Amino acid sequence: RDLLRSLRTSTLLDGVRGRPAVDIAAAAEQIAAITAFACAHPEIVDFEVNPLLATAHGTVALDARAIAVGDVKDEDEEN
């Protein structure tokens, strides 16, 4: 939560233009879960969730991708 609140744009999380505030606790929990997943799988060399939609009712990852060690092509293999 502190990390989210430290963002320059964190005031947007409190609601803007009539929209309700984001569920900060749910967003923080989701970010922690994503981080824990990535840390628990050292075979993943690249992991991205973008965007993570945060609303007043929770969060949902709209897109994600992970690249495992075996999926990375060496430049020499491509030539």
Side-chain angles (χ1 to χ4, degrees):
R1 290 181 193 174
D2 292 339
L3 180 62
L4 290 172
R5 287 291 176 199
S6 73
L7 298 171
R8 284 186 315 194
T9 56
S10 68
T11 56
L12 297 175
L13 301 174
D14 297 325
V16 64
R17 296 184 182 168
R19 291 185 175 230
V22 167
D23 184 344
I24 298 286
E29 287 174 19
Q30 187 66 43
I31 292 167
I34 291 166
T35 302
F37 176 81
C39 290
H41 295 278
E43 69 276 11
I44 295 176
V45 296
D46 187 24
F47 187 67
E48 177 181 335
V49 175
N50 187 17
L52 178 67
L53 177 64
T55 70
H57 306 290
T59 61
V60 62
L62 298 178
D63 190 25
R65 76 177 180 110
I67 298 175
V69 173
D71 294 338
V72 177
K73 291 185 179 179
D74 188 355
E75 286 184 27
D76 292 332
E77 290 179 24
E78 292 179 9
N79 295 327

